[in-house]
Amino acid sequence: VGISKGVVLEVNINNTYVTTAGKIETLKQLPKAFKIPNPTHFHSRLDFKDLQWRNLFTEIPLVDSAYLGFNPNKKEYNDSYIHAGNGTILIKEITFPELTNELIFLDLKQWSTGDAYDRTGTVFLLTEEQKDGYLAGILNDFKSLPTYPEGSGKYHGTVKNKNYLPPYELMRFFTTFGAGKYSGGVMKNRNWTNDTYYRQDITEYKALLSGKKVYIGFNIGTWTENGHQFSANITLHPGGEEQSQNIIPLFNTVPIMEMHGQEYPHHFLDTNGIVVSFDLKEDAKNVRLRFTTTGHGGHSGGDEFVQITNTVLLDEKVVFTIAPWKSDCATYRHQNPASGNFENGLSSSDYNRSNWCPGQITNPYWIPLGDMKAGTHTIRVKIPQTKNIGGQNNAWYISGQLFY
């Protein structure tokens, strides 16, 4: 075809896998599916391998180098995205293609543009059904959302009721201490990263995405104006299984609208915890709870730094208990250039935390609930939260979605 004067007849990979041509056949014309590269656009070997790799899957861009930081004047609503929460929330409206056997991955890259501290980040999903609920609360007034306990006026928009669904959580991530803005510091044998990369399989949400218009939201809880930038996309990969399942969002106490005035989540100061009812119209098989939990309260002895048992009850019977904890945070010191250093030789980012580390994703727990009969059921979560003294803010950020 005038592009090359040769042809590869054998490929040998480490003498363990060999592909050899069986015959050479002259074609008068190329198959329609064969794409002829533009001979005027030559690529390096690395570029070519990258093109080969990207041809294996479908990439859906979400945002590129977007801003998240506290800015009361930052409020936009255009064809590309919604910017709200005084600059700390960005929402992308997107319509997905019909999905069958794809595996779905969410990618996010984040870097500091001025915020030196570790912050809670979340990627959440809203369906068209939630457009007049949580999305309206973000755009207008969060106080329009139902409270928990109902009628108490304490916590807006965190727990499901008969007429309201809280946001689905796709990913819980945590920023580093300043990777990006502060990565130019010099320390012997330490190469600081310039950004932080997160990637998570979210295939379980396929039923909410396939052929649907949805709203994917991003939030980083920072009070700093020169906060963070991030890029995100979704990739679709062949090789999964068709999924048709029901998903019910039960609770989400991450204070996504904190910088817009939403109350800090002190739900578990009540020893009864959180209880939510849900209805099954038919008998359900293989019911599972996707449960994400992290403890917060940065002072000495705060819930960020102590092991506290989380208990989940189904219809008032205990089905899961755990003291969520991460003991490998020191592994990620190279991601935290602005982390404070102490007299004992440790950095703040080294310390163990309640199920999270600066610069990491917190994985959900999958709690099997078995088969369930049609009717009304309850899920209760109990956590003996540490009491707040003075200006302390102990809290637990939990989210839960029911799959069946």
Side-chain angles (χ1 to χ4, degrees):
V1 294
I3 297 174
S4 173
K5 294 183 179 180
V7 62
V8 176
L9 298 179
E10 183 174 278
V11 176
N12 186 319
I13 302 176
N14 296 330
N15 291 323
T16 59
Y17 186 84
V18 180
T19 301
T20 304
K23 65 177 181 178
I24 297 176
E25 182 179 351
T26 302
L27 300 176
K28 292 183 179 180
Q29 63 182 24
L30 291 171
K32 291 182 179 179
F34 191 90
K35 295 181 181 179
I36 302 176
N38 188 333
T40 63
H41 293 85
F42 293 99
H43 300 276
S44 68
R45 180 180 294 271
L46 188 61
D47 288 338
F48 180 69
K49 290 178 72 69
D50 184 64
L51 288 172
Q52 282 184 309
W53 171 65
R54 291 184 182 278
N55 195 49
L56 299 175
F57 58 90
T58 300
E59 185 172 352
I60 300 176
L62 297 175
V63 293
D64 183 27
S65 299
Y67 161 87
L68 286 175
F70 183 69
N71 183 347
N73 298 317
K74 193 72 172 177
K75 187 175 182 179
E76 300 177 65
Y77 191 176
N78 57 45
D79 293 338
S80 298
Y81 54 79
I82 300 166
H83 220 145
N86 285 328
T88 62
I89 300 171
L90 188 143
I91 299 175
K92 174 74 173 182
E93 178 185 309
I94 184 168
T95 299
F96 277 81
E98 294 290 341
L99 304 174
T100 54
N101 67 337
E102 292 85 355
L103 294 167
I104 308 171
F105 280 76
L106 171 64
D107 290 289
L108 189 146
K109 183 171 72 171
Q110 170 272 325
W111 59 98
S112 167
T113 53
D115 191 353
Y117 291 93
D118 51 338
R119 307 291 190 180
T120 304
T122 183
V123 184
F124 58 95
L125 171 71
L126 301 173
T127 65
E128 278 286 277
E129 186 181 4
Q130 295 163 294
K131 187 174 182 179
D132 295 328
Y134 200 83
L135 183 58
I138 288 176
L139 293 177
N140 301 307
D141 182 6
F142 72 92
K143 291 183 179 179
S144 66
L145 301 177
T147 59
Y148 183 86
E150 290 187 42
S152 70
K154 284 186 177 179
Y155 309 112
H156 287 82
T158 57
V159 179
K160 175 190 177 300
N161 66 23
K162 290 182 179 180
N163 302 307
Y164 170 78
L165 298 175
Y168 302 83
E169 186 169 39
L170 302 179
M171 176 192 288
R172 178 87 55 87
F173 68 97
F174 292 87
T175 73
T176 64
F177 284 91
K181 175 69 173 181
Y182 303 96
S183 295
V186 177
M187 187 175 180
K188 189 173 182 180
N189 298 324
R190 187 79 68 186
N191 294 318
W192 305 114
T193 56
N194 291 313
D195 49 47
T196 312
Y197 178 65
Y198 316 85
R199 180 169 168 85
Q200 186 167 354
D201 185 344
I202 59 167
T203 305
E204 60 263 29
Y205 291 102
K206 185 184 298 183
L208 296 179
L209 303 176
S210 180
K212 306 286 181 59
K213 181 170 75 172
V214 298
Y215 305 87
I216 296 180
F218 305 86
N219 165 246
I220 294 177
T222 178
W223 288 97
T224 302
E225 181 175 358
N226 297 320
H228 305 262
Q229 282 187 287
F230 74 100
S231 297
N233 62 58
I234 283 176
T235 56
L236 308 175
H237 304 259
E241 298 178 354
E242 290 194 37
Q243 293 185 356
S244 178
Q245 54 186 348
N246 300 287
I247 310 171
I248 303 174
L250 300 179
F251 45 80
N252 189 336
T253 69
V254 179
I256 294 170
M257 293 182 284
E258 178 187 355
M259 287 69 193
H260 191 49
Q262 185 183 23
E263 306 88 356
Y264 210 66
H266 295 150
H267 297 64
F268 296 104
L269 289 175
D270 185 334
T271 57
N272 291 317
I274 287 176
V275 60
V276 55
S277 297
F278 59 93
D279 294 320
L280 297 178
K281 296 180 180 179
E282 300 177 338
D283 292 352
K285 292 185 176 297
N286 189 27
V287 185
R288 297 169 296 148
L289 178 66
R290 186 187 192 270
F291 178 63
T292 307
T293 178
T294 52
H296 302 268
H299 59 92
S300 177
D303 284 10
E304 182 174 326
F305 297 109
V306 293
Q307 296 187 37
I308 295 179
T309 299
N310 290 212
T311 303
V312 179
L313 302 92
L314 171 64
D315 296 332
E316 300 304 329
K317 294 182 180 179
V318 174
V319 292
F320 182 76
T321 58
I322 196 166
W325 193 246
K326 288 280 287 182
S327 59
D328 61 341
C329 293
T331 304
Y332 312 106
R333 180 69 181 95
H334 65 289
Q335 296 180 333
N336 292 275
S339 180
N341 300 306
F342 303 117
E343 293 180 356
N344 60 359
L346 292 176
S347 164
S348 178
S349 65
D350 291 333
Y351 280 87
N352 304 333
R353 285 172 166 82
S354 293
N355 210 31
W356 64 276
C357 295
Q360 296 299 298
I361 287 173
T362 290
N363 290 319
Y365 297 106
W366 284 96
I367 304 173
L369 303 178
D371 298 340
M372 296 175 62
K373 293 293 185 181
T376 300
H377 300 270
T378 60
I379 290 283
R380 185 186 298 272
V381 182
K382 300 180 70 173
I383 305 173
Q385 176 183 318
T386 304
K387 292 183 179 180
N388 295 308
I389 301 173
Q392 296 174 2
N393 261 328
N394 293 300
W396 283 84
Y397 298 172
I398 67 167
S399 71
Q401 298 89 41
L402 202 71
F403 287 75
Y404 63 96

